Amino acid sequence: MRLVSLSVLLALAACGDSGTTTLGSEATGTTQLPPGTGTDDPTVTPTTGTPTTGTPGTSDTGGSGTEAMTGSTGNPGTTGTAGTGTSTGATSTGAVIDTTTTSTTTGDSSTTGNVDTGVDTDCGGGDIQFSFIWISNSPEGTVSKIDTETLVEVARYRTGPQGSDPSRTSVNLKGDVAVTNRDGSITKIGAIDDQCKEKNGQPGIQTSSGPNDVLAWGADECVLWNTALLPASRPAAWTSGELIDPQNPCSGFTGEKVWTSAPTGNDANVYLLDGETGAILDQVLVPGANGGLGIYGGAVDQNNDFWGVTYSAGPLVHVDYDTMMAETIPLPIGSAYGFTVDAKGRSWVGGWDGNLQRYDPATKTGQKANIPAQYPVLSRGMNDTNGELWIAALFEPQGLMRVDTDTATFIEHIGAATLVGIQEPTGASVDVQGKVWLVDQSKNGGGAFVYNPKTKTADWVGGLNGPYTYSDMTEGMLDDRIVPIS
């Protein structure tokens, strides 16, 4: 069933061309069925398929130090014979790094005129129940939950045993996050207590209350599940799920699933997981989709299909949600790094060579974006909303870049004059109020700029630890892909 409406945005709004190049495509692989199951106990990592030793990845200089991925026994096999065992994750009891989150106001941070309130169903007056952005602290092995209205970090969670090395985050329409760990796993965390699970028999939900209150691995009751993958796993992308009542856009969503991937040899596995349990429901092997670090970024289109790009030189990877059939699509222009899919299902790839390109699956054509020469693109992360692409531009001059997704043309560049002290931009995402978050991996140890397109001013949220997140950190992209109910 292709999904319908409701704007929960991560803010859960109370329900209330010319110059084209024809690209070839190649159907690849057949579906492999892993019969394993997930678990709602994050200290237990489910094993699906015959345990194998993972293949070491190569260095990712953009991550926390290096990413030399050593294999670990107990990860899912690539051919998926039935697995019955489980492996218990190690408990991390080390000292919590003492960090704080601060907000320094450099201008008016009021709501912009470009607010994405989704479908106007008048279910609850359009009031915002909550709005969070989720940013990984890669070297610390944690993810931060930051209130996008107050700019305060309200919780911090371990994403796995010691050395998990989290990177990409994806947020579903309930506000819950899925975090991939480069050690070879993916973890789900509930956004609010109502979505967490009682496990220890103590009254209430035991969970983090801020950056200095990080519970030991397995102790936080908002950490819902952890599923083992092959090492060097990266992308995460939630599907929208389905309306509980198809005739009632205020009934809420159910049946959300999450896509992820991990490389194996010269190829890559793409997995589809049950959003409630973390069980691997299906997987497909995509030949040639490694490139050294596998499928580096991923997103869903309006059909819940998975799209991703292989690190360095491509290709694009497309996996159909209904059939799990995969295809690879060569990139006509240079290299690949940053990636997203816009609301019309077009893939965007930013490369090491300074180019930005768009692929339209409807016409099977690619197009180079028209960007002024003084603004070369090395996008480490980008997201689109309301027909505009926001790009974390690492090449000098560093900053935020804004591109029209229909015309593939440059709109503006926001640089150091506004983003004072910008050092190493990593990812961009747009919150429910239309503010653009730009994660900076290195400034003051790590944090995020919060740019207001209406006032053209920026705030700074600090206290993070080497944040390295570029994906749909706020769920704004997923909301744009939902087709309004008729």
Side-chain angles (χ1 to χ4, degrees), residues 262-295:
T264 174
N266 294 322
D267 312 319
N269 286 310
V270 175
Y271 306 96
L272 184 63
L273 278 63
D274 185 294
E276 283 298 311
T277 68
I280 298 177
L281 300 175
D282 216 338
Q283 72 185 65
V284 62
L285 182 70
V286 186
N290 187 331
L293 294 171
I295 298 174

Side-chain angles (χ1 to χ4, degrees), residues 77-458:
T78 60
T79 56
T81 59
T84 58
T86 59
S87 57
T88 302
T91 300
S92 174
T93 57
V96 177
I97 295 176
D98 184 11
T99 59
T100 59
T101 298
T102 60
S103 172
T104 303
T105 302
T106 58
D108 179 14
S109 60
S110 60
T111 301
T112 75
N114 198 25
V115 178
D116 182 357
T117 56
V119 180
D120 183 12
T121 58
D122 198 29
C123 301
D127 296 331
I128 295 175
Q129 294 181 358
F130 59 86
S131 176
F132 303 126
I133 186 169
W134 299 79
I135 302 175
S136 293
N137 301 293
S138 297
E140 188 180 89
T142 65
V143 64
S144 293
K145 181 174 72 173
I146 300 170
D147 188 308
T148 65
E149 295 186 278
T150 65
L151 309 187
V152 172
E153 182 176 357
V154 296
R156 189 175 293 201
Y157 308 90
R158 298 194 187 280
T159 64
Q162 188 171 3
S164 55
D165 201 6
S167 60
R168 286 40 160 187
T169 62
S170 179
V171 183
N172 66 21
L173 290 171
K174 295 175 182 175
D176 301 330
V177 69
V179 188
T180 52
N181 296 305
R182 297 184 186 95
D183 71 342
S185 68
I186 182 169
T187 299
K188 179 186 178 182
I189 303 171
I192 57 176
D193 285 3
D194 287 349
Q195 289 156 219
C196 303
K197 293 183 180 180
E198 167 60 43
K199 291 183 293 186
N200 62 12
Q202 299 181 32
I205 294 295
Q206 278 68 60
T207 188
S208 172
S209 61
N212 298 319
D213 178 28
V214 184
L215 278 63
W217 176 241
D220 197 305
E221 293 180 320
C222 286
V223 180
L224 299 175
W225 51 253
N226 173 272
T227 299
L229 305 168
L230 290 171
S233 50
R234 278 182 182 75
W238 282 98
T239 68
S240 57
E242 301 183 1
L243 281 173
I244 295 172
D245 179 357
Q247 300 307 311
N248 178 9
C250 301
S251 61
F253 288 85
T254 187
E256 301 92 341
K257 299 178 178 65
V258 62
W259 293 98
T260 187
S261 177
T264 174
N266 294 322
D267 312 319
N269 286 310
V270 175
Y271 306 96
L272 184 63
L273 278 63
D274 185 294
E276 283 298 311
T277 68
I280 298 177
L281 300 175
D282 216 338
Q283 72 185 65
V284 62
L285 182 70
V286 186
N290 187 331
L293 294 171
I295 298 174
Y296 210 62
V300 298
D301 63 16
Q302 60 269 45
N303 296 319
N304 285 321
D305 291 1
F306 174 82
W307 290 84
V309 70
T310 297
Y311 178 79
S312 184
L316 281 177
V317 174
H318 171 223
V319 181
D320 186 276
Y321 175 72
D322 292 322
T323 67
M324 287 298 291
M325 292 300 296
E327 63 174 339
T328 57
I329 302 160
L331 292 177
I333 305 168
S335 62
Y337 195 26
F339 178 79
T340 194
V341 173
D342 68 27
K344 295 183 179 179
R346 298 168 299 202
S347 292
W348 291 81
V349 181
W352 289 99
D353 52 9
N355 288 309
L356 175 68
Q357 56 186 304
R358 184 186 74 184
Y359 173 74
D360 187 343
T363 61
K364 299 188 183 302
T365 57
Q367 180 176 358
K368 180 180 176 180
N370 184 12
I371 308 295
Q374 66 266 35
Y375 299 120
V377 180
L378 172 52
S379 64
R380 300 180 73 186
M382 49 189 167
N383 276 286
D384 107 284
T385 184
N386 296 321
E388 294 177 344
L389 189 69
W390 291 93
I391 302 169
L394 181 61
F395 281 165
E396 295 285 353
Q398 297 166 322
L400 266 174
M401 193 177 299
R402 191 178 188 179
V403 172
D404 186 291
T405 57
D406 283 333
T407 63
T409 56
F410 172 86
I411 299 175
E412 64 175 329
H413 178 276
I414 300 97
T418 301
L419 309 174
V420 178
I422 187 170
Q423 188 170 348
E424 196 172 358
T426 302
S429 195
V430 183
D431 68 24
V432 68
Q433 297 173 302
K435 301 188 301 292
V436 185
W437 290 71
L438 178 66
V439 176
D440 191 307
Q441 186 178 357
S442 299
K443 174 176 158 45
N444 297 337
F449 293 97
V450 188
Y451 176 71
N452 188 326
K454 182 179 180 180
T455 63
K456 298 188 180 301
T457 57

